[in-house]
Amino acid sequence: MPGVSSFRDTIVRTARGALAGLLAGFAALAVAELVAGLSRPAAGPVTVVGGAVIDRTPAAVKDFAIRTFGEDDKTVLQLGILLVLALFAVVLGVVALRYRRTGAAGVLVFGIVGAAAALSRPDSEGAGDVLPSLAGTLAGAAVLFVLAGKATPAGSPSGDDGTRGGWSRRGFLTAATVTAVAATGAGGLGRALSGRRGRGALASRDRLVLPAPASPAPPVPSGAQPKVAGISAFTTSNRDFYRVDTALVVPRVDAGTWRLRVHGKGVPRPRSYTLDQLLARPLIERDITLTCVSNEVGGPYVGNARWLGVPLAGLLSECGVEPPSKGGRADQLVARSVDGMTLGSPVEDVMDGRDAMLAVGMNGEPLPFDHGFPVRMIVPGLYGYVSACKWITGIELTTFDAYDPYWVKRAWARRAPVKTQSRIDTPKPFARPAVGTVVIAGVAWAQHRGITRVEVRVDDGPWQDADLAVQDTVDTWRHWSHRWQATPGGHTLAVRATDGTGAVQTEQRARTIPDGASGWHSVFVTVT
Ligand SMILES: Nc1nc2c(c(=O)[nH]1)N[C@H]1C(S)=C(S)[C@@H](COP(=O)(O)O)O[C@H]1N2
Ligand SMILES: [Mo]
């Protein structure tokens, strides 16, 4: 029955083609991983393509991703890239059955995409960065060429002699198995090598002993944290602190070789600092609340930590920098991180006496790698994207007219002071508290202006003053609580804050783009 057998042949052939394509893709990634491990982990194809995708994603989509996937956004992106790769690999594999050379050549197209992405990365170290993508695709093309050959009948299209007319089933399976095993080995070795490269950085962090601050922060007042179940901890632990950045691979910077260069317009004495030089300076310790501009009303991207660092204004003065109000030529400070990220802050704000710092410590330990080890910037009162550069390695003085940093090129505002905001931590949305006393509580922040009042409203009732917890500093958030005599039924609870300038938090709803969300946070509950 030639009809049935040729139909089955087609299925088997197609399956083999698909498998050959997948294995070729797998081998390509594994070899690329190996070469990246040997040369530069940050130049691996998934990392560079992912980075390129992040940089080209419209602000609204990125905001959506942060909102929807939170801190898993990068995992989702990487899985997406792998899925797209797998689909193309299957198609190429099937194509290669008939057009072996075309299929193999198709793999090379991926090499070009990977290489181009590698070269376009802001932290690209030059031509060497194309090596992982190039080596990977050559390996992938070779694997596809060989496997497609083995999956194709050598002689007549069909036969009943058990070899299915030259379908060398054993040959194909052997080649496929060898490929899978070799690729797994290469990929594993590459991963191990990449891990090793981070070890110097790990050791440098383990060795780092933070000096005592010359200007310590007083203990957090005991009244800063109301004893209410479900309210945010006053100090956010490093583990719980939100993380927002574009880094697919967290930079592991070796503190021993790290340098910070201060240079640019109106810098008569440009200088480079080692970490030891920074640590030898008088350090300040301050509680400062950091907020992300992508934080929606009621959102989680706000955290408060005790930072230890070098006052930035003094360091800038040492290099001869003057703020614009004193005739300085530069009004924008552009911080650059090791991964090429740039963030711009107003020089005036950084030098106006607030505790802008180059932080080395977070809650009593060296900065975690996720949060910028060895050094990051912190400026009270400014959203993270215009101030809080992690893995900082350069400070360039320039003007707002002359240069737009990363996020500003992507539709975010040039200047972005933190907006006065408040959030209900408890009860949670759609909670079902029992009739009687229900404690409504949460946090409010207006960094560097402070919070002077928080009011709560139930349904269309009057605004009622909440109990304010003791203020730590004007640079931290302030906790609040309100005892509510809850009556049965559905209720909408709303909150609004007043800052130290007397400004009441606006009801006006604004999206996060371009300079931060506004509006009142409200929560619907059903009292039973
Ligand atoms: N190098 C680098 N620094 C960065 C970013 C980044 O993407 N890369 N993101 C900024 C943003 S948008 C915020 S809100 C803060 C977040 O700091 P965290 O992750 O320590 O909470 O880091 C800022 N510093
Ligand atoms: Mo942010």
Side-chain angles (χ1 to χ4, degrees), residues 392-438:
I392 191 172
T393 187
I395 289 182
E396 182 176 355
L397 278 293
T398 179
T399 59
F400 280 102
D401 283 342
Y403 185 77
D404 281 340
Y406 185 92
W407 297 105
V408 175
K409 287 198 184 91
R410 291 165 175 77
W412 297 86
R414 287 202 171 83
R415 296 169 187 262
V418 175
K419 295 182 180 177
T420 301
Q421 265 299 338
S422 51
R423 182 179 76 193
I424 298 173
D425 286 345
T426 181
K428 295 280 173 239
F430 308 113
R432 304 180 74 83
V435 171
T437 306
V438 171

Side-chain angles (χ1 to χ4, degrees), residues 2-3 30 39 65 78 86 113 154 169 189 241 254 264 269 272 292 297 306 328 340 349 353 482 496 511:
S39 56
Q78 275 166 309
V113 172
R169 183 207 292 199
L189 185 59
F241 209 94
D254 189 325
R269 297 182 290 280
S272 190
C292 182
V297 174
R306 176 156 285 201
D349 291 355
H482 178 72
R496 71 177 185 194
R511 336 191 286 142

Side-chain angles (χ1 to χ4, degrees), residues 66 242-245 290-295 301 343 383-386 388 407 412:
I66 292 177
Y242 81 89
R243 176 185 160 207
V244 171
D245 56 58
L290 183 62
T291 314
C292 182
V293 72
S294 291
N295 192 49
Y301 299 126
L343 292 82
Y383 283 120
Y385 86 102
V386 286
W407 297 105
W412 297 86

